[in-house]
């Protein structure tokens, strides 16, 4: 079921980790096991204080590596002798955080960030060690770190839906969403697969993508196991392609297996082009709506009103759309209304742009250039969606070439049938590979440059919780001769290894 929380980043709380000095280490170990607290590191501009573990790690090897934290204080000399760089790296990280603690008498505290939904469970976890998690007011002028819903981890009732998690790389590849902004993961994923489907419209090829998604879901091949979480994304793209193929009447090309339910791309390219540009216009309007909300959440009504990605830019866009409609429909009244709306939008955008300049004649010239660029960009962005039709036509043309070659060879006896089969298989394999790559890249380009450029004006800071695997030795506490160890995070056992 849809939840309102999925349209905004995970809510963060400013916290302090407080513990008696003797219990601080165990408290931090439990924080690492919880894996959902980002701890502020001391930044004073001076040289870093190197602790015993960090010094031994430097002697052992150069360069950073994976860190494992020992639950009990280890013998650092023994770790160095045995070459346990992973445990030394974990201790070095612990030393860094211990060194950043603020101490008052016998009590120490560290500040950080924690998702609100994880506060209660984390507080209960560290209470067993004598620590406490204390909510703090958010510092003025400091934005919390961003954690998208599709990236969040936690108890079963807080884990993100599989589909949402598979769409998240679309957003994180572009950048980090500011904490105040909307989380566009779900609508961005839907827009992407729709655009991909229009360009890759073939029911046969779409079914192949669905089959590939099922293979990924099964964890095959093993080398691609890291891609398993993306299987819903691949399945959605395959479904969109199959539905577009049904509309086009394409099944491994114009084979006649399916009737044309909407249009045949090669027969009605103008109609397909009009539909592509119309879809682009709708997506841009939605992007402007989200941009207005983001500007309002970031800087209040003034930022939302004067920004070219806010109300001012949306007014220019709608006014230009009305002008285009007046030409298309031959209705002068639409042109008059559109021109008035464009003028109002440019006036507000000019005020916002001029406020960001040094003023004077130079500022006026700079503002004029920015307004001209905004108008040109709107027009070019709308026209850019014509590539949905262009690459859809390319896909259909490749399918037609392969099918024409297949049918021309099939009538030349048994040998011709064999060659025709080979041409059909190899031709479709080549078309599938090339067009899947091209459609994927072009849909990503439209997503980033035409849509995301209106959603985001700044970039946030990603949430980086401290969660090295914690190793519990079954031998003497802190010893290095234990026969077996168990590494855990806050989500349960990770692995067993010989220590």
């Amino acid at each position: 079921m849809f939840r309102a929380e999925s349209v905004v980043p995970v809510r963060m709380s400013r916290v302090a980790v407080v513990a008696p000095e003797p219990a601080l280490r165990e408290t931090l170990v439990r924080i690492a096991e919880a894996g959902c607290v980002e701890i502020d590191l001391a930044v004073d501009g001076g040289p870093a204080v190197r602790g015993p573990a960090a010094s031994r790690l430097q002697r052992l090897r150069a360069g950073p590596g994976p860190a494992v934290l020992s639950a009990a204080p280890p013998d650092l000399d023994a770790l160095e002798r045995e070459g346990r760089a992973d445990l030394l790296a974990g201790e070095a990280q612990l030393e860094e955080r211990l060194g950043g603690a603020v101490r008052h008498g016998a009590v120490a505290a560290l500040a950080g960030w924690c998702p609100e939904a994880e506060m209660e469970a984390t507080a209960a976890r560290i209470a067993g060690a004598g620590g406490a998690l204390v909510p703090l007011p958010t510092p003025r002028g400091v934005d919390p770190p961003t954690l998208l819903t599709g990236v969040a981890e936690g108890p079963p009732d807080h884990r993100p839906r599989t589909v949402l998690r598979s769409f998240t790389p679309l957003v994180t590849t572009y950048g980090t969403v500011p904490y105040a902004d909307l989380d566009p993961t779900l609508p961005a994923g839907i827009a992407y697969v729709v655009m991909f489907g229009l360009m890759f419209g073939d029911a046969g090829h779409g079914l192949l993508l669905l089959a590939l998604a099922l293979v990924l879901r099964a964890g095959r091949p093993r080398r691609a196991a890291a891609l398993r979480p993306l299987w819903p994304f691949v399945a959605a793209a395959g479904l969109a392609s199959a539905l577009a193929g049904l509309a086009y009447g394409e099944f491994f090309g114009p084979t006649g297996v399916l009737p044309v339910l909407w249009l045949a791309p090669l027969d009605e390219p103008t109609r397909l082009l009009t539909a592509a540009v119309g879809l682009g216009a709708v997506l841009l309007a939605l992007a402007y709506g989200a941009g207005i909300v983001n500007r309002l959440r970031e800087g209040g009504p003034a930022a939302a009103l004067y920004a070219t990605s806010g109300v001012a830019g949306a007014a220019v866009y709608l006014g230009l759309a009305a002008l285009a409609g007046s030409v298309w429909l031959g209705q002068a009244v639409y042109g008059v209304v559109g021109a008035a709306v464009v003028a109002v939008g440019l006036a507000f955008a000019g005020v916002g742009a001029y406020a960001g300049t040094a003023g004077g004649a130079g500022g006026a010239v700079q503002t004029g250039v920015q307004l001209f660029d905004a108008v040109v960009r709107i027009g070019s962005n709308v026209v850019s969606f014509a590539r949905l039709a262009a690459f859809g036509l390319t896909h259909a043309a490749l399918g037609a070439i392969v099918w024409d070659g297949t049918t021309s060879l099939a009538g030349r006896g048994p040998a011709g049938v064999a060659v025709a089969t080979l041409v059909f298989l190899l031709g479709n394999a080549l078309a599938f590979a090339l067009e899947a790559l091209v459609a994927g890249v072009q849909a990503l380009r439209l997503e980033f440059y035409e849509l995301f450029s209106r959603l985001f004006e700044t970039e946030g800071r990603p949430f980086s919780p401290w969660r090295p695997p914690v190793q519990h030795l079954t031998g003497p506490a802190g010893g290095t001769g234990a026969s077996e160890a168990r590494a855990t995070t806050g989500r349960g056992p990770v692995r067993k290894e010989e220590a």
Side-chain angles (χ1 to χ4, degrees), residues 260-291:
V260 177
L261 299 181
W262 178 39
L263 60 81
L266 296 179
D267 294 339
E268 299 183 83
T270 302
R271 190 178 172 193
L272 180 61
L273 178 63
T274 303
V277 174
L279 173 63
V282 171
L283 291 177
L284 285 173
L286 294 175
Y288 270 115

Side-chain angles (χ1 to χ4, degrees), residues 280-311:
V282 171
L283 291 177
L284 285 173
L286 294 175
Y288 270 115
I292 292 172
V293 175
N294 284 346
R295 301 298 85 77
L296 183 64
R297 292 168 63 92
E298 291 168 357
L305 179 61
Y306 297 116
T308 55
S309 60
V311 174

Side-chain angles (χ1 to χ4, degrees), residues 235-476:
L239 179 60
S241 301
L243 292 176
L246 288 174
Y248 297 158
E250 296 275 333
F251 185 81
F252 295 109
T255 55
V257 174
L258 298 174
V260 177
L261 299 181
W262 178 39
L263 60 81
L266 296 179
D267 294 339
E268 299 183 83
T270 302
R271 190 178 172 193
L272 180 61
L273 178 63
T274 303
V277 174
L279 173 63
V282 171
L283 291 177
L284 285 173
L286 294 175
Y288 270 115
I292 292 172
V293 175
N294 284 346
R295 301 298 85 77
L296 183 64
R297 292 168 63 92
E298 291 168 357
L305 179 61
Y306 297 116
T308 55
S309 60
V311 174
V316 175
Y317 173 73
L318 293 176
L320 291 175
L323 285 171
S326 71
V327 175
W328 182 270
L329 300 173
Q331 298 290 330
V333 64
Y334 293 150
V336 174
V337 173
V341 174
V342 169
V344 172
L346 288 176
F348 281 115
V351 171
Y354 187 78
T357 68
V365 172
Q366 182 179 344
T367 299
V369 171
Q370 290 178 353
L371 295 180
F372 177 77
D373 176 69
V375 173
V376 172
R377 280 184 58 203
I378 289 174
S380 63
N381 290 159
V382 174
V383 174
S384 185
F385 282 91
R387 71 187 64 224
L388 296 176
F391 289 104
L393 288 169
T394 302
H395 194 188
L398 286 175
I401 291 172
V402 173
W403 182 242
D404 288 345
T406 300
T407 54
S408 64
L409 292 170
R412 301 182 181 181
V417 172
V419 176
T421 302
L422 185 62
V423 168
F424 182 78
L425 294 176
L426 293 180
N428 271 283
L430 181 61
F432 178 89
L434 288 177
E435 287 301 304
L437 176 62
V438 170
V441 171
Q442 292 301 322
L444 193 65
R445 187 242 179 245
L446 289 169
E447 190 102 67
F448 283 2
Y449 291 98
E450 271 63 46
L451 303 180
F452 282 3
S453 62
R454 285 164 172 80
L455 266 64
F456 308 122
E457 286 193 346
T458 61
E459 188 169 352
R461 179 176 66 83
F463 177 62
S464 301
W466 186 53
R467 50 182 176 193
V470 177
Q471 189 174 81
H472 295 266
L473 302 177
T474 58

Side-chain angles (χ1 to χ4, degrees), residues 472-495:
H472 295 266
L473 302 177
T474 58
T480 59
S483 59
E484 188 181 71
R486 180 170 59 89
T488 65
T489 65
R491 312 306 169 205
V494 174
R495 70 176 187 272

Side-chain angles (χ1 to χ4, degrees), residues 94-130:
L94 183 65
E95 289 173 351
E96 189 176 17
R97 282 149 183 83
L98 289 172
V102 176
R103 291 168 171 80
H104 182 74
V107 178
L110 299 102
W113 300 94
C114 180
E116 289 182 357
E118 303 288 348
M119 287 277 293
E120 184 177 350
T122 304
R125 178 185 288 269
I126 68 175

